[in-house]
Amino acid sequence: ETGVTQSPTHLIKTRGQQVTLRCSSQSGHNTVSWYQQALGQGPQFIFQYYREEENGRGNFPPRFSGLQFPNYSSELNVNALELDDSALYLCASSLDRKEGETQYFGPGTRLLVL
Amino acid sequence: EDKVVQSPLSLVVHEGDTVTLNCSYEVTNFRSLLWYKQEKKAPTFLFMLTSSGIEKKSGRLSSILDKKELFSILNITATQTGDSAVYLCAVGYRGSQGNLIFGKGTKLSVKP
């Protein structure tokens, strides 16, 4: 196990609702990245947080937002949920924001939007 | 457009077989290539490769990177049923701001 934890493990929402997913990074890691993994696909980068600031963002709309707290844990918020948001959401922590740094993944939150 | 392509997409073998999984990439300003094993949810880290031609090994798994031909292979010898998983290849690049670009993965099934 990597020491990265996520909650909840599963979640069911309906279209238009809002959701908050949580992630605790591995001890000593100050960088958290979020990924969306649709069924049968590889993970896609949503954004990364480094020391409470957004450090980079993938091709996701503004209704995907995040936070990082002083203890380096993080939240992913998704507003106005759409059916296509159904996916496994993975959080990964790394020692630093250095490019190409190894990222260690949590177990994910499986979100189903009905 | 940057991309990572894995092949085959799925593979069925029997215990004891040796398998080779492929990952090719077209990424500007390449920095590193990473292999992960995903059994149910969390991808678990296997290897990170940055230098061409240097093999990394861990038990029955090994991997090598060819930066000239832009590909990597992951070898698994004497496969076991516990090796059944999706194997993901990801590339990190300069200027990425944290982004790893993943391939779609290779689903390996090892039959007893």
Side-chain angles (χ1 to χ4, degrees):
Chain A
E1 289 193 8
T2 62
V4 180
T5 60
Q6 291 186 243
S7 63
T9 55
H10 295 84
L11 205 48
I12 301 175
K13 292 284 189 179
T14 55
R15 256 186 323 179
Q17 285 189 311
Q18 178 264 342
V19 69
T20 298
L21 311 182
R22 294 178 176 83
C23 170
S24 290
S25 60
Q26 187 168 321
S27 177
H29 288 191
N30 59 24
T31 303
V32 172
S33 304
W34 286 92
Y35 290 82
Q36 180 195 67
Q37 188 177 21
L39 207 59
Q41 302 294 315
Q44 281 202 294
F45 178 70
I46 303 175
F47 42 58
Q48 182 184 78
Y49 278 83
Y50 169 72
R51 294 185 181 274
E52 302 177 61
E53 298 281 335
E54 187 178 290
N55 184 54
R57 188 178 184 94
N59 190 25
F60 280 81
R63 57 189 186 83
F64 285 78
S65 63
L67 279 175
Q68 188 178 32
F69 300 98
N71 66 355
Y72 304 133
S73 65
S74 177
E75 281 182 1
L76 164 66
N77 298 292
V78 187
N79 293 323
L81 284 167
E82 300 176 0
L83 297 180
D84 284 349
D85 296 333
S86 296
L88 179 66
Y89 288 85
L90 294 163
C91 158
S93 76
S94 50
L95 200 55
D96 200 84
R97 64 176 173 176
K98 190 172 69 174
E99 294 155 345
E101 183 79 24
T102 302
Q103 297 182 12
Y104 296 90
F105 286 84
T109 294
R110 192 166 297 283
L111 172 65
L112 177 61
V113 182
L114 301 175
Chain B
E1 185 185 331
D2 294 331
K3 62 180 180 181
V4 176
V5 178
Q6 292 185 246
S7 64
L9 290 180
S10 66
L11 192 55
V12 180
V13 300
H14 288 92
E15 271 190 317
D17 289 349
T18 293
V19 297
T20 298
L21 310 183
N22 304 293
C23 176
S24 64
Y25 61 91
E26 292 178 26
V27 174
T28 309
N29 297 321
F30 170 91
R31 187 174 181 91
S32 60
L33 187 143
L34 299 91
W35 284 98
Y36 289 88
K37 177 183 181 182
Q38 187 174 29
E39 290 180 82
K40 289 188 178 171
K41 283 190 176 181
T44 53
F45 172 72
L46 295 174
F47 300 111
M48 182 169 78
L49 304 151
T50 56
S51 300
S52 208
I54 298 176
E55 186 181 46
K56 291 219 172 177
K57 292 195 76 167
S58 177
R60 297 177 293 103
L61 277 67
S62 64
S63 184
I64 197 160
L65 174 67
D66 186 328
K67 289 168 78 171
K68 183 179 175 186
E69 300 297 329
L70 308 183
F71 77 91
S72 174
I73 59 172
L74 174 68
N75 279 318
I76 309 175
T77 59
T79 51
Q80 302 171 356
T81 54
D83 295 327
S84 296
V86 173
Y87 290 84
L88 294 166
C89 170
V91 171
Y93 58 99
R94 292 183 178 85
S96 66
Q97 293 184 299
N99 186 5
L100 289 179
I101 303 175
F102 280 84
K104 288 187 177 183
T106 294
K107 183 176 180 180
L108 174 65
S109 299
V110 182
K111 304 285 187 190

